[in-house]
Each structure stands twice: as C-alpha cells, then as structure tokens.
Amino acid sequence: MSVWNYAVTAHKPTNVTHSCVGYFTGSQELNLIIAKCTRIEIHLLTPQGLQPLLDVPIYGRIATLELFRPRGEAQDLLFIATERYKFCVLQWDPEASEVITRAMGDVSDRIGRPTDNGQIGIIDPDCRLIGLHLYDGLFKVIPFDNKGQLKEAFNIRLEELQVLDIKFLYGCSRPTIVVLYQDNKDARHVKTYEVALKEKDFIEGPWSQNNLDNGADLLIPVPPPLCGVLIIGEETIVYCSASSFKAIPIKPSITRAYGRVDADGSRYLLGDYAGLLHLLVIIHEKDKVTGLKIELLGETSVSSTISYLDNAVVYVGSSYGDSQLIKLNLHPDSKGSYVEVLEKYVNLGPIVDFCVVDLERQGQGQVVTCSGAYKDGSLRIVRNGIGINEQASVELQGIKGMWSLRASSDDPFDTFLVVSFISETRILAMNLEDELEETEIDGFCSDVQTLVCHDAVHNQLVQVTSSSVRLVSSISRELRHEWHAPSGYSINVATANATQILLATGGGHLVYFEIGDGLLIETKHAQLEYDVSCLDLNPIGEDVNHSQLAVVGMWTDITVRIFSLPDLNLLTKENLGGEIIPRSVLLCSFEGVSYLLCALGDGHLLNFLLNMSTGELTDRKKVSLGTQPITLRTFSSKNTTHVFAASDRPTVIYSSNKKLLYSNVNLKEVSHMCPFNSAAFPDSLAIAREGELTIGTIDDIQKLHIRTIPLGEHARRICHQEHTRTFAICSLKYNQSNSEETEMHFIRLLDDQTFEFISTYPLDQYEYGCSIISCSFSDDPNVYYCIGTAYVMPEENEPTKGRILVFMVEDQKLQLVAEKETKGAVYSLNSFNGKLLTAINQKIQLFKWTTRDVGTTHELIPECGHHGHILALYVQTRGDFIVVGDLMKSISLLMYKNEEGAIEERARDYNANWMSAVEILDDDVYLGAENNFNLFTVRKNSEGATDEERSRLEVVGEYHLGEFVNRFRHGSLVMRLPDSDVGQIPTVIFGTVNGVIGVIASLPHDQYIFLEKLQLNLRKVIKGVGGLSHEQWRSFYNEKKTADAKSFLDGDLIESFLDLSRARMDEISKAMSVSVEELMKRVEELTRLH
Amino acid sequence: MGSMLGDLPSYDPHNFSLLRPSDPSNPSKMTPITYHPTHDRTLPPPNQVITSEARNILLRHIYQRAEDKLRPKRAASENLTPEHGSKHPKAMGNSDGPQF
C-alpha cells in the first residue's frame, strides 16, 4: 500500500523570482541576494565574480524580498514576506557566521480577499514603516520605532480595490505611498497617500494622475534629488511628481523587471517579456526633470528581476530561461548589442511537461523536460550519476587487477596498462597509431597473477606477485632487483607507492620495503596474530611520494589497524564489528581533510576521519554502496582527487563543502578500475566490467547532469517513442512581425540522440497541442503518435472544437494516418485496453481503432464515455480503472466495463481541489497535486460497508509541497538494483513551475515510522530560518482549510541530517536511541533514491 | 549612445576585474552550502514577534471618534477656556497624555 510517502527534492528550484543588492554579510561586503521561490541564495561580489556563500531554505514561498538599513545599523537587514502571510527580518551575524532573526510575525487577517495581482511588500526609504498589500482594500502597516524596532501592525483602509502596484516615494517628510490602480471602467490611475502613523490612517497625498496607459503595470520610485515616480506602461513611460510630468512613447512591450543603475536614479534597466533590455534615462538639469530617453541595449533571457551589481556588471534573474550575469559594454558589438553574457545559471523552470526515458539503455532513467517559455523554451536532459564516455573497448574476460605505469618517472602520461588475470599478466601499451596493443616488460613476470604494480622513483617499476617483489627499470625494462618470499610463504596482498612497498604473507607476516635506486630495502617486518585481508600506504601527507602511515585490514578479528612507518608501530586498532571482513582500505585526502575508507565484503563502506600525526580514527560513518565486495582506487579529474569504488554498484566518492558525497556511476557493474592518463586518452579511466576492458573519460563529478537543447520556442508536451527512437513535442512559437504578434503551434519530431527537428507538422490557426502519447492499438502492429488539440478561439470561454491526430513515423517523417474532430479540447490521451482513452472538456471518451473500407485505412470510432466533470484535465489508467483529475472537483475513479462497453464512476473525492496533476501509486492509492501547492493522496475503499462509503475516496495523505506540480511520472532518476534496499521502493518523479524535479517514494510502513520519528527530532534541532515553523509550512493549506501534514515526510529535512555537526547528530541519536552510524546509513540510503 | 552607458557606478573597482566570461554552453555550477541553523537566535527577541492590532478598522474608527468626542469635554472640565482643542481632535491624540 503506497500510503506512506517520502517527498524529496532531486533538483532544487532554479526560477529566480527576486533579487536585491546590498551590504548584508558585512559593512564592506557587497552581496547579491537571490530568491528562488522557497530558497534564498547569498552571493558575494569579488574580483573573480559572484561567489556563492549560502543557500538558505525558507519555510515559505517568498512573496517579497527587500534589503533595508534602519538608522544606526552598520549592515543591511533582509525583509522577507511569504505567501502564507508570515514575515521576518533577518540579519547576518558576521562573528558567528549565522543568520539571526531580528523580528518576525504573522500579518494575516482573519477576513479579507487575497489580492489578485500578487502580494506587495515595501519599505519606507526613511525606515519609518513597512507597508504590505495582501488583501484587497487593505494596506497593512508595520511601524518602526525610533530605535529601529518594529511595533504592532495595523490595517488602513485603501479605497482602490484593483491595485497594480504600490511604492513609497522618496524625499517626503511624512511617509508617502503612490498607488497604481484600475477603476471599475478599466482605466488606470495613480494616486498618492501620506501614511499618518499616529492616526493609523491615510491622508490625501500631494498629487495624483488620472488616465494613464491602459497597460501601466509598474511603478519605479525615483530617489533624491529628483524624487517622483516612473510609471511604466505598454506604450508609454511617464515620469510624474508633484511638480512635473513627462512622457515618452515606447515600442509596444510588457516590462517585466527593472533595475536601478545610479544611486541618484537617473538611469534604469528595463527588461521586457521578449528578453529585450532597455536603458531608460531621466534627463534632468540639476533637480529638474526635463525629459526621458529610452534605448535598446540588447537581448538577455526573459527577465523576472534585474540587479545592477558593480562595474557595469548586471545580474538578470529569469523565470523562463537561464539566469545570467551580463556586462554592459560602452560600445556595441558587431550585432549592435551592448550586452555581453558573462555567465549563465541553469534554470529548468517552468517544467511544463517531462518524460522519463532510458536513452542509453543502461537501466538508468533520464528525465527530458519541456522547460522555459517564450524564446527561452528548451528541452533539458537531466541525468543522475556520473557517466563514462567510452573511447575504446576490448573484450577481455577474467580481469583480476589493473594498473597504469609510466615509461619514465618524469613522463606526464601513462604508457603501460598492466592487466592481471588469474594465471597470467598482460601488458598493453599505446602504439604510434594511438592504439592499445600488447607489449612486454622483460623484467616483469608475466605467467602469474600480479598483486600490485606501481611506478617507482629512479625510473623504476614495481611488480608484486605471490612469490616475489620485482624492481624493474622503466627505461631498459629489465629486472634490477628481486625479493623472494620465504619458502612456504606466499604473498597474499601488497600495496606500493613511488618509494614504499608493504606486503603481507600467509601467517600474518607484514613486510615493509623502501625503494632505492636498483635496490629493494627490506626495512621492517612485523608478525600479526591473524592474516591480513587488505592494506594501503597511499601518501596523503606532505610528501607526495612517501607515506608516514600504513593501514591494514585483518581477517578473523575484523579490525583495521594503523601503523606508523617505517617502524611498523601499531598506532590504532579499530574494531569494525560484524562478521564481514574488510576487502579494500584506502588512505585519502579530500579538501585537505584526511580520511580512511574501508570497504567491506558485503558492499558497505566505512569512513573515518584520520588524524595524520596520531593515527587516531574518529567520526566513523557507514554507507551501503552495493552488495558485492568493493575495490577502492583514487583517480584525478579536473585536478581534484576522487575515489572510485568498483563493485556491483560503482560509485564515485568525492567531497563538497567538506562533506563526503557518493555519486552513482552509470555502469552496471565494475570489477576493477585504474586511472589511465595516456597522451591519446588524457584523463581517462580503464574499467573492467562484464568481460570487457573499457577506456573512457568521466563526466564532471556531480550528482545531476543537465544538458540543454535550446529550441527558441516553447515546448509544452513531450513524448518518447522507443520503437522509432524519436521524441515528439507540441510547441508554440511567437512571431513578432511589425506590430502584429502571432503564435504558431507545431507538432515536431526529434531524433532522440541528436535532438534535431527531423519532421514538423504545423497545426491550424488557433489550434493548440494539448496532449501527446505514443501508443499502439489492438490488431495493429504499428506504433503511433496520437496528439490531442484544441481550437482556442479568442471569443470563446472554453474550446468547443479540437482534433485527435494519429501519426506514424515513416522515413523519419510524421505521416498523418487518421484524424478525428472532437467537441472540445483534448486535454488528455491514454492508451487503454488497445484503444484510445481521451478527456475532452467535461467528458471522458473511449475510441476504438477500426479498419475502414478494405483494411488499408483506420479510423477512431467512439465507443463509450462518461460525463460529469467540470473539465477532465488529467487522466491516468491502470487495468480497467481510470483516475481523473478535474479542474476543480479533485480526483474521481471511473471503471471501464468491457462487456457492457460502458464507463462508470466508482468513487470520488468530494473536496473541491483544483488539480494540476494526478498519478496512480498502486491499485488503491492515488496521488494528486493542486493549485495551492499541496499534495494529497486518496484511497479507494472497496471494503466499505455501504455504497456511500465505497463511493467516497478517502483522503489518506496531505502535505504542503510549496511547489506547483505540472506532471507526475512513474520512474526513477537512479539505476535501480533489484537486490538493494532502495531498489524495492516505488517512486514517482514530479516537475514543477520553479524548475524543481522531485521524487515521491512510497515507503514500507516501518521505515516510514522510523523516519517520522527522525523528522520530529530534526524539527527540534534544525530551526526554521526567520523563526518560521516547519510544521506549519508543511501543513496542507488552501483558502478553506489548514490541516497538519499526514502520511508524507519531508525528505529535504530528513536528508539534512547528514549536514549536521557530530554533536547535533549525537543529540538526535540520543533522543531516538539509535546510533549515529545507523542513522547516517539509513539517511544516506534515502539520498540514493534521487 | 555610448555616453548613455558611460560612467556606470563603481563601488569597488576590483569587483569583477578578474572575471573571465565562461563558455556560454557550459553554465556556472558553483553551488553554495545549504544553511541549516541549529542556534537559538532564529527566534527574535520576545517584543519583536509582531502581531496585528486585533481591533477591526471599523471598530477602531468608532472608538477613535468616541475618544475624540470625549476628550474636549474632559479637557473642558479641567480648563474652562480651551483654545482650539475641539478643532484639531486628531492632532491632539495620544500626545496629549498629561490631561488624562
């Protein structure tokens, strides 16, 4: 039963909604602060560019973000108001490096109609009050006292009911607002009011201006000495003050964002809906405004916010495309643009639709999203884990070990690849044609298995086999010295670096060598109680060729031991616990922190912090990487060292912000890996897997990889067809020719490898693509693309006409094979019992695919249907069951009766949820997302005693996600292994307007209970920034009700356990009576769901 | 036109001076640390937990008017020759404290 769900973010929001610039983290530190709906990001301006400092989750959707500085403060304070009527004032404490809360509160009113045009929050430039417009007809004031402390808030009645914008005017002796509003005849005006704090009322302001541009939508207050306000319309821009009025006409456009350039307010950047950036200049003689001037600077992403930073560099935040860092050049480039893009910041929002596909056919899901809007529309291919880009491969069975060797000590590249098998060792080398061919190193013993090889100082190579250690010249390739194991003893395990060798023979003998010029010096011998299972002396201290420490893993007592070198003194003995022996140990250093990694025979990995001088091991952590023994090796990528854990679930271990992270490698099983940095294949890895030796380069080391396919038009629906290896999308393109603006809708066919348009079918005028699937029908072997459309006529409230188009892909072309007119918009299509199930306006309609005439052509014939919806927007099916998400009537369950050829309603949820997506979790539980950013689950009650009970879908889960979900899809971003714990957990992926990709995982009940307890404890330890409550944030919330979250867990909070300090983890561990190690392991496993 | 973009503000001339434009096809990937406060100062001082005035606007208006009406009378009982109190009831407001 999929009732117990875990909601977690795989890709954080990237839609930039607000930005501001000020001195937040220090009086000398200029910051850019960005809001991405539920998170704020604090950046520092530096000579190198923007330096990200902190990503701050906010328990609310940010409605307002403003920096301000009350008198007497050395730094700016940050004011944040959330859509659920909470606000907070944040301050950075530079000493503690913490965000502290100066003030917070609730500004909701019990009654009041929420504003239609969004919430407004503004701060008086002289810091006398904060003004909020949250409900029609009310202006809320939070006054400051003369010490900068906030006082009780109160409402003032605002006569204007349709407010478009409110700003504070500069330079007024009493705080004064300017209100842009629309009257009941749709005319737009501005009006000013003074706020009388003592009387808690408005006083008529100094001026007003009637009958503005009908598209006036934005006010820009102008600072002293000019003061007054700019009113930005669609056809005019007006400057207005008590004494002056200036207007200029502009080319028709909708301004989305503005950024002030100069402190005196004489220049502004304006960004419009088409991504054009203009400079608006107020021409003035001293304090008198004499005119306005506007110039086109160039093109950016469609901006939602613009912040001038410093030295001609500007941040452009975008909701519809990638955000950008741009530079304004003094002179235009060859295309006449003054804009130079310096950096881009990926934004997946708005994700309107997506599909989950396995393009590489490796059992690894990839998400392909329809992202962005207008000209910034794109497809994004989002893939979890690290890919290997294969350069060459050969079939080789039974590889037992691999090492790369250089031809001389100072050669920057590797030449040889030593591959060891059970009874032989083969040496591959790059030949002159850059091909790998077999070669020989005379001094090496090639008819036995090699235990280890390494480059050594003085142009030497080391080979250790079960009987001897050989030191060979890398120049002459001849043997220079050999050490033989005493008779009766064979070498079991060995490790080496450039100057040292450590090996263990049967009977627990540990032998340590130092490497001289042509000489192996047996420096020390130690006798241990038990046999050695693995060892390592990777140098991570100051000397890159020589290690002060060695680590040894033991059979029998299951310990790892740290020895000092060269004396082989035991420094530390750590009991691993359990019965699984260590199979691979590695000393390594990430971001200057030393670790001991220890892999067990059952796929678990332990890591410890290692004290380099005392050998002490602390902060033990355990994670599960796979189910088979792991082999650990280091490798370098982009000048950083990472660790490759070869096993049935290959993983790269790396470090970010001094925290170890584990990223899946997108290969099924890897038995051995070694770095192979040859001249022909620089920075490559040699990988042994499934009877194959592969040489390949590795992706950037990060969790999610995003590839962008810019379309220049807005993709709204996407579908993949495995059979033809194509994608089909419904898209629209805006054409701007002269003043006439038109949009064209298309069905496009794309190659699933190159993502090029290979065929296009233009839709009719006014015809929108609404739905798309790939399917086949009963008694017809062909695979088709079916597209549902709607004719959206300007004069109609709802479409009354649409089409179903059936295409076949022939010779890479879309061939229309059937077409059916419908009496409304085809919102949804599903392949259903070999037929086509459609949702057309308020009706669910089933079509069968029948042969016409002599059997060459087909047509869609209506079979049966079901009425009773407002608009049936989202449909999912399972067997004969049909789950419908309605525009405003929540979820209903229908059933198709094959014999009777009828569709009947079985049950419905009687709540009035306005749906945005639905999905079937299992036979009985259905998941819904609605337009107040909530998720909920309902359950079919087939065992109900009465008809009434059976006809009601019971709400079993409720949760405030804080994101607008456009689509759910079954699938997984990670490679699922059937025998791993998380492999059993069913998951649904969702995509949202803010560019979030998230996962809903249905957990077993006992795991849910355990994690619920952990969440409860985490709430006590991890505080909400600004004093906002996590419990309130996650409570289901709409206009009608607020209810505590149930049957959903916040994976983002739970996984932040891994970011806590050890002391805080201990606190939680104590409260839960579960060891930190166990908690970490269980949470780490969850992170592997996404 | 060049003059329009001339003389752009510079707060610290070093800012962005070493920035090299990155390959536009390779978006910036720097990710900041996620902040999880565990300290107690996420809660503001008790007097800075702000609430809205409970009294509804209409009631506030009525009470305000009632007070305004009352005030001159009281003032009159103590001071028989009020100068212009009744003409500016609002301006007197709470600042006229000593009279109560």
Side-chain angles (χ1 to χ4, degrees):
Chain A
M1 191 75 98
S2 305
V3 171
W4 313 105
N5 288 301
Y6 178 87
V8 69
T9 306
H11 182 261
K12 289 175 187 174
T14 46
N15 163 16
V16 174
T17 51
H18 305 74
S19 68
C20 52
V21 179
Y23 294 90
F24 182 68
T25 58
S27 57
Q28 301 298 316
E29 295 186 354
L30 193 55
N31 302 110
L32 167 69
I33 299 185
I34 299 167
K36 294 177 172 174
C37 190
T38 56
R39 312 188 80 95
I40 56 173
E41 263 177 31
I42 303 169
H43 297 256
L44 180 67
L45 274 63
T46 72
Q48 288 76 28
L50 282 179
Q51 181 195 338
L53 294 180
L54 220 50
D55 160 38
V56 184
I58 301 290
Y59 291 156
R61 290 170 55 90
I62 295 162
T64 309
L65 180 82
E66 292 278 346
L67 280 168
F68 68 103
R69 189 178 313 198
R71 218 170 302 139
E73 295 285 343
Q75 290 154 245
D76 291 342
L77 305 181
L78 186 64
F79 171 79
I80 296 175
T82 72
E83 289 181 10
R84 284 172 72 171
Y85 306 103
K86 305 275 191 269
F87 83 91
C88 58
V89 175
L90 303 179
Q91 180 180 21
W92 179 257
D93 176 350
E95 253 123 69
S97 285
E98 299 276 9
V99 178
I100 60 172
T101 308
R102 284 279 293 257
M104 64 159 298
D106 188 323
V107 283
S108 62
D109 287 325
R110 266 176 306 166
I111 34 178
R113 186 182 178 283
T115 53
D116 285 335
N117 295 313
Q119 302 181 358
I120 296 171
I122 46 175
I123 299 173
D124 171 42
D126 296 314
C127 276
R128 290 166 290 197
L129 66 123
I130 295 171
L132 297 161
H133 182 56
L134 310 173
Y135 301 98
D136 284 344
L138 290 176
F139 184 76
K140 179 152 286 188
V141 172
I142 314 173
F144 285 96
D145 68 13
N146 48 17
K147 296 189 191 78
Q149 300 273 299
L150 290 174
K151 298 195 292 184
E152 185 181 61
F154 59 86
N155 279 321
I156 300 177
R157 201 168 75 84
L158 182 66
E159 271 177 43
E160 291 66 38
L161 293 178
Q162 287 192 68
V163 170
L164 299 161
D165 200 4
I166 305 181
K167 291 284 160 61
F168 275 105
L169 287 176
Y170 283 90
C172 298
S173 56
R174 300 176 72 154
T176 305
I177 58 168
V178 50
V179 181
L180 172 65
Y181 65 99
Q182 184 168 309
D183 65 17
N184 49 19
K185 294 188 187 79
D186 289 353
R188 296 188 179 186
H189 321 282
V190 291
K191 197 168 177 182
T192 57
Y193 288 111
E194 289 182 357
V195 183
L197 288 171
K198 221 161 271 171
E199 293 76 13
K200 301 186 176 176
D201 211 345
F202 284 139
I203 299 169
E204 246 355 75
W207 56 268
S208 63
Q209 181 65 47
N210 286 343
N211 298 318
L212 297 158
D213 186 331
N214 267 335
D217 199 39
L218 177 69
L219 296 173
I220 305 176
V222 181
L226 304 173
C227 300
V229 69
L230 289 160
I231 305 160
I232 312 295
E234 288 176 6
E235 289 174 339
T236 55
I237 292 177
V238 169
Y239 169 82
C240 225
S241 72
S243 56
S244 169
F245 181 91
K246 297 277 176 246
I248 49 163
I250 56 168
K251 238 177 107 179
S253 92
I254 303 165
T255 302
R256 292 279 169 122
Y258 79 92
R260 189 173 82 196
V261 176
D262 305 279
D264 72 356
S266 54
R267 285 181 290 190
Y268 296 86
L269 293 165
L270 302 181
D272 76 3
Y273 72 117
L276 297 181
L277 187 71
H278 287 88
L279 186 75
L280 174 66
V281 184
I282 302 180
I283 304 162
H284 56 101
E285 284 161 13
K286 287 190 182 148
D287 299 352
K288 193 174 149 42
V289 174
T290 56
L292 299 170
K293 202 163 110 184
I294 190 158
E295 285 289 344
L296 177 64
L297 296 181
E299 191 180 314
T300 65
S301 291
V302 178
S303 55
S304 56
T305 170
I306 298 175
S307 288
Y308 179 85
L309 301 173
D310 202 355
N311 302 319
V313 177
V314 176
Y315 178 77
V316 176
S318 181
S319 294
Y320 298 129
D322 290 342
S323 294
Q324 293 169 326
L325 195 66
I326 60 165
K327 189 170 177 137
L328 303 177
N329 288 323
L330 208 51
H331 302 289
D333 63 14
S334 56
K335 291 175 191 144
S337 172
Y338 294 82
V339 175
E340 178 188 359
V341 178
L342 301 176
E343 299 252 21
K344 266 196 199 178
Y345 307 94
V346 164
N347 169 28
L348 298 190
I351 299 175
V352 193
D353 192 11
F354 70 90
C355 59
V356 187
V357 291
D358 178 12
L359 294 178
E360 259 99 69
R361 299 183 173 180
Q362 290 179 334
Q364 159 85 34
Q366 299 187 17
V367 165
V368 182
T369 66
C370 294
S371 284
Y374 303 102
K375 72 172 181 76
D376 294 332
S378 62
L379 300 182
R380 310 277 177 142
I381 302 133
V382 184
R383 181 166 52 77
N384 179 295
I386 297 170
I388 303 287
N389 311 304
E390 190 176 307
Q391 311 270 351
S393 78
V394 284
E395 208 168 296
L396 273 180
Q397 300 281 352
I399 295 174
K400 291 287 167 196
M402 287 194 300
W403 303 268
S404 53
L405 297 173
R406 294 191 293 258
S408 69
S409 297
D410 52 6
D411 191 337
F413 291 110
D414 296 322
T415 302
F416 305 109
L417 185 63
V418 180
V419 186
S420 170
F421 301 85
I422 195 86
S423 59
E424 62 168 333
T425 296
R426 288 154 78 173
I427 294 148
L428 304 174
M430 303 302 300
N431 66 15
L432 292 173
E433 276 81 51
D434 283 344
E435 285 167 347
L436 267 186
E437 64 174 17
E438 202 155 344
T439 180
E440 286 192 354
I441 297 177
D442 295 338
F444 273 17
C445 185
S446 61
D447 52 2
V448 292
Q449 181 181 349
T450 296
L451 297 176
V452 74
C453 277
H454 209 283
D455 296 304
V457 287
H458 311 299
N459 294 326
Q460 300 177 107
L461 308 172
V462 169
Q463 182 197 24
V464 184
T465 64
S466 63
S467 59
S468 77
V469 181
R470 300 168 80 93
L471 189 64
V472 175
S473 162
S474 61
I475 310 291
S476 69
R477 304 190 189 179
E478 277 165 8
L479 184 68
R480 296 189 69 189
H481 193 209
E482 185 169 16
W483 177 89
H484 292 277
S487 65
Y489 289 97
S490 77
I491 301 170
N492 292 337
V493 283
T495 182
N497 62 40
T499 62
Q500 297 161 297
I501 303 166
L502 184 67
L503 58 84
T505 68
H509 293 280
L510 199 58
V511 189
Y512 169 67
F513 299 87
E514 296 201 337
I515 300 169
D517 195 353
L519 200 61
L520 288 165
I521 308 151
E522 189 181 338
T523 311
K524 189 76 189 174
H525 170 264
Q527 165 78 54
L528 306 180
E529 314 91 285
Y530 310 110
D531 271 334
V532 171
S533 63
C534 51
L535 33 72
D536 183 57
L537 41 64
N538 183 34
I540 53 171
E542 276 165 25
D543 188 340
V544 295
N545 285 328
H546 194 90
S547 178
Q548 304 286 337
L549 297 175
V551 56
V552 173
M554 303 290 292
W555 286 86
T556 317
D557 71 345
I558 320 273
T559 58
V560 284
R561 303 176 184 199
I562 305 281
F563 292 91
S564 64
L565 295 177
D567 46 15
L568 283 185
N569 270 340
L570 180 66
L571 298 177
T572 305
K573 183 165 132 183
E574 176 82 18
N575 274 307
L576 300 181
E579 292 167 353
I580 314 294
I581 56 152
R583 293 298 275 271
S584 181
V585 283
L586 183 68
L587 299 166
C588 58
S589 164
F590 294 113
E591 297 185 288
V593 181
S594 303
Y595 295 88
L596 167 65
L597 302 183
C598 173
L600 306 183
D602 63 351
H604 280 85
L605 178 82
L606 292 163
N607 73 67
F608 302 86
L609 285 183
L610 170 66
N611 183 321
M612 290 294 287
S613 47
T614 64
E616 197 189 355
L617 297 173
T618 52
D619 281 29
R620 167 188 172 130
K621 291 173 189 168
K622 190 176 186 179
V623 294
S624 161
L625 296 186
T627 58
Q628 301 295 314
I630 300 169
T631 316
L632 299 167
R633 289 291 275 275
T634 59
F635 70 97
S636 283
S637 163
K638 304 234 161 91
N639 299 320
T640 313
T641 300
H642 311 289
V643 170
F644 193 102
S647 76
D648 59 332
R649 184 158 196 191
T651 303
V652 168
I653 302 160
Y654 62 106
S655 170
S656 173
N657 299 319
K658 306 219 163 166
K659 183 185 151 194
L660 287 191
L661 297 174
Y662 306 87
S663 199
N664 305 323
V665 176
N666 294 333
L667 293 174
K668 275 209 184 92
E669 185 162 4
V670 172
S671 50
H672 294 277
M673 186 291 302
C674 85
F676 186 54
N677 177 30
S678 66
F681 301 125
D683 257 345
S684 295
L685 307 180
I687 288 167
R689 56 169 182 133
E690 294 167 349
E692 228 180 47
L693 169 66
T694 304
I695 311 256
T697 56
I698 191 156
D699 279 348
D700 289 346
I701 306 301
Q702 61 187 42
K703 218 171 159 178
L704 277 189
H705 291 260
I706 297 168
R707 193 175 139 209
T708 302
I709 312 290
L711 296 179
E713 61 187 52
H714 184 180
R716 297 178 68 240
R717 296 289 180 268
I718 185 165
C719 173
H720 184 244
Q721 193 168 77
E722 178 71 29
H723 179 68
T724 55
R725 306 238 59 174
T726 55
F727 285 101
I729 60 169
C730 301
S731 67
L732 76 152
K733 195 176 179 71
Y734 297 89
N735 288 321
Q736 226 173 343
S737 53
N738 303 323
S739 60
E740 209 41 33
E741 200 168 305
T742 57
E743 46 180 68
M744 296 266 289
H745 294 253
F746 302 99
I747 311 300
R748 303 229 195 234
L749 188 71
L750 289 82
D751 181 289
D752 80 356
Q753 296 298 309
T754 64
F755 286 91
E756 277 167 9
F757 291 161
I758 48 179
S759 180
T760 294
Y761 180 89
L763 293 175
D764 293 342
Q765 199 185 6
Y766 302 117
E767 189 182 23
Y768 284 54
C770 296
S771 49
I772 186 164
I773 58 161
S774 165
C775 70
S776 47
F777 299 102
S778 305
D779 308 321
D780 181 351
N782 294 318
V783 184
Y784 299 98
Y785 276 117
C786 297
I787 284 107
T789 74
Y791 287 87
V792 181
M793 312 307 284
E795 67 276 9
E796 286 179 352
N797 287 330
E798 288 297 337
T800 56
K801 193 182 143 194
R803 284 197 292 173
I804 301 166
L805 304 168
V806 182
F807 291 97
M808 206 157 93
V809 178
E810 285 175 329
D811 305 326
Q812 302 274 77
K813 291 272 180 309
L814 283 171
Q815 300 288 351
L816 185 65
V817 293
E819 162 179 4
K820 180 86 189 169
E821 196 167 298
T822 62
K823 286 181 180 153
V826 184
Y827 289 114
S828 180
L829 291 171
N830 284 78
S831 175
F832 186 75
N833 284 296
K835 298 166 186 170
L836 186 66
L837 186 72
T838 64
I840 301 166
N841 283 11
Q842 54 280 89
K843 193 176 178 188
I844 300 296
Q845 177 78 51
L846 186 64
F847 289 91
K848 39 183 190 196
W849 185 240
T850 52
T851 319
R852 194 169 57 184
D853 305 333
V854 274
T856 48
T857 56
H858 288 87
E859 65 177 335
L860 289 167
I861 303 288
E863 183 182 320
C864 59
H866 178 265
H867 284 277
H869 306 276
I870 305 291
L871 285 179
L873 297 179
Y874 313 101
V875 177
Q876 298 294 338
T877 64
R878 188 180 176 101
D880 288 336
F881 286 104
I882 302 164
V883 171
V884 181
D886 190 83
L887 174 73
M888 50 198 290
K889 279 168 61 177
S890 195
I891 295 179
S892 52
L893 174 69
L894 313 179
M895 201 178 126
Y896 172 59
K897 293 189 164 168
N898 199 1
E899 309 82 53
E900 299 160 38
I903 296 173
E904 286 175 6
E905 180 177 308
R906 268 309 168 88
R908 63 163 56 240
D909 170 25
Y910 287 89
N911 289 303
N913 292 318
W914 292 57
M915 303 306 294
S916 67
V918 295
E919 188 52 275
I920 298 176
L921 293 181
D922 64 23
D923 282 344
D924 299 322
V925 183
Y926 319 125
L927 171 68
E930 53 84 272
N931 75 334
N932 282 295
F933 319 111
N934 299 299
L935 297 180
F936 64 98
T937 45
V938 292
R939 181 168 57 192
K940 182 173 79 177
N941 186 6
S942 0
E943 270 78 58
T946 64
D947 280 353
E948 202 281 327
E949 275 174 42
R950 283 191 295 273
S951 71
R952 191 179 285 274
L953 290 172
E954 179 197 358
V955 178
V956 286
E958 290 180 307
Y959 182 73
H960 189 73
L961 182 68
E963 286 286 330
F964 191 98
V965 175
N966 273 321
R967 184 69 78 192
F968 292 117
R969 298 268 187 214
H970 282 285
S972 169
L973 274 167
V974 291
M975 207 182 275
R976 306 302 287 270
L977 295 175
D979 48 353
S980 69
D981 290 345
V982 293
Q984 307 298 330
I985 297 175
T987 54
V988 164
I989 302 175
F990 60 85
T992 79
V993 167
N994 286 314
V996 169
I997 294 176
V999 174
I1000 310 275
S1002 300
L1003 302 178
H1005 188 226
D1006 55 340
Q1007 193 179 5
Y1008 180 91
I1009 295 294
F1010 176 84
L1011 293 173
E1012 189 178 39
K1013 202 169 154 197
L1014 176 59
Q1015 173 173 286
L1016 210 65
N1017 282 289
L1018 277 166
R1019 266 185 192 157
K1020 293 178 200 151
V1021 171
I1022 297 180
K1023 312 284 169 51
V1025 172
L1028 299 172
S1029 146
H1030 180 265
E1031 200 177 352
Q1032 282 181 28
W1033 162 230
R1034 292 308 184 189
S1035 62
F1036 184 97
Y1037 170 86
N1038 63 23
E1039 293 99 342
K1040 291 196 187 68
K1041 71 162 190 179
T1042 303
D1044 282 348
K1046 62 175 178 187
S1047 302
F1048 278 98
L1049 293 175
D1050 182 352
D1052 295 344
L1053 178 64
I1054 287 172
E1055 290 175 21
S1056 58
F1057 175 78
L1058 299 173
D1059 296 334
L1060 289 178
S1061 67
R1062 193 70 182 194
R1064 297 294 181 185
M1065 286 185 180
D1066 285 336
E1067 209 174 294
I1068 288 172
S1069 153
K1070 208 177 278 173
M1072 292 192 57
S1073 313
V1074 179
S1075 73
V1076 169
E1077 195 180 306
E1078 173 69 12
L1079 285 172
M1080 293 205 67
K1081 186 176 153 257
R1082 295 188 72 160
V1083 176
E1084 197 83 57
E1085 265 165 24
L1086 291 168
T1087 65
R1088 298 207 138 210
L1089 283 169
H1090 56 88
Chain B
M1 173 65 205
S3 65
M4 276 177 84
L5 278 175
D7 209 13
L8 288 171
S10 174
Y11 305 103
D12 177 348
H14 298 297
N15 279 337
F16 302 111
S17 58
L18 301 175
L19 176 64
R20 300 279 161 270
S22 69
D23 174 7
S25 63
N26 192 16
S28 179
K29 280 175 194 137
M30 298 237 283
T31 45
I33 305 173
T34 300
Y35 182 62
H36 299 294
T38 52
H39 61 83
D40 293 326
R41 289 187 295 166
T42 52
L43 287 180
N47 70 341
Q48 288 296 285
V49 178
I50 306 300
T51 52
S52 293
E53 182 187 53
R55 194 183 281 179
N56 163 300
I57 297 188
L58 177 64
L59 290 178
R60 186 174 76 209
H61 234 78
I62 294 168
Y63 284 122
Q64 224 164 27
R65 238 195 262 162
E67 279 172 23
D68 292 345
K69 271 187 190 161
L70 276 176
R71 199 170 296 124
K73 282 185 190 166
R74 278 210 207 165
S77 66
E78 286 166 17
N79 183 355
L80 288 171
T81 54
E83 282 164 30
H84 43 63
S86 56
K87 279 185 183 168
H88 300 283
K90 278 182 179 173
M92 289 176 72
N94 311 353
S95 61
D96 241 349
Q99 291 185 36
F100 289 89

